[in-house]
């Protein structure tokens, strides 16, 4: 018996160990802030998903990474199985956003 998934059972969007760090301060007092660490989840067509958490927990940063407004510091964003974090050209990002 083969284990095949229908299109509805495959995630349309998936994150794998997604992370984002920001550097703050000047050259003498530089600090690194880990805004998101190891965020992994799957979104399926036709399903409602909520991203919840405390203020400052990284919800907006995750959404900005999904929209490719921020580049992830680590991890992957898979859209229909393709790693969109590898496409760095403006045209590729705009094409991803339009889908």
């Amino acid at each position: 018996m083969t284990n095949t998934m229908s299109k509805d059972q495959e995630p349309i969007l998936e994150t794998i160990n997604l992370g984002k760090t920001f550097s703050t301060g000047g050259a003498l007092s530089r600090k690194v802030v880990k805004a998101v660490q190891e965020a992994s989840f799957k979104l399926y067509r036709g399903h409602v998903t909520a991203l919840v958490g405390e203020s400052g927990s990284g919800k907006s940063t995750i959404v900005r990474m999904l929209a490719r407004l921020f580049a992830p510091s680590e991890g992957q964003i898979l859209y229909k199985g393709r790693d969109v974090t590898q496409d760095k050209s403006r045209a590729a990002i705009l094409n991803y956003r339009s889908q």
Side-chain angles (χ1 to χ4, degrees), residues 12 23 51 61 69 87 95 98:
I12 191 164
S23 296
L51 184 60
T61 302
L69 297 173
D87 297 331
N95 182 49
S98 69

Side-chain angles (χ1 to χ4, degrees), residues 41 49-53 58-60 62-63 66:
F41 55 86
T49 304
L51 184 60
V52 296
K59 301 178 301 290
S60 295
I62 288 173
V63 172
L66 293 177

Side-chain angles (χ1 to χ4, degrees), residues 52-76:
V52 296
E54 297 178 13
S55 177
S57 64
K59 301 178 301 290
S60 295
T61 302
I62 288 173
V63 172
R64 287 181 177 116
M65 286 188 288
L66 293 177
R68 301 291 314 272
L69 297 173
F70 289 168
S73 301
E74 56 194 34
Q76 297 175 296

Side-chain angles (χ1 to χ4, degrees), residues 87-97:
D87 297 331
K88 301 194 187 317
S89 73
R90 180 171 168 77
I93 291 171
L94 291 174
N95 182 49
Y96 162 71
R97 286 182 189 159

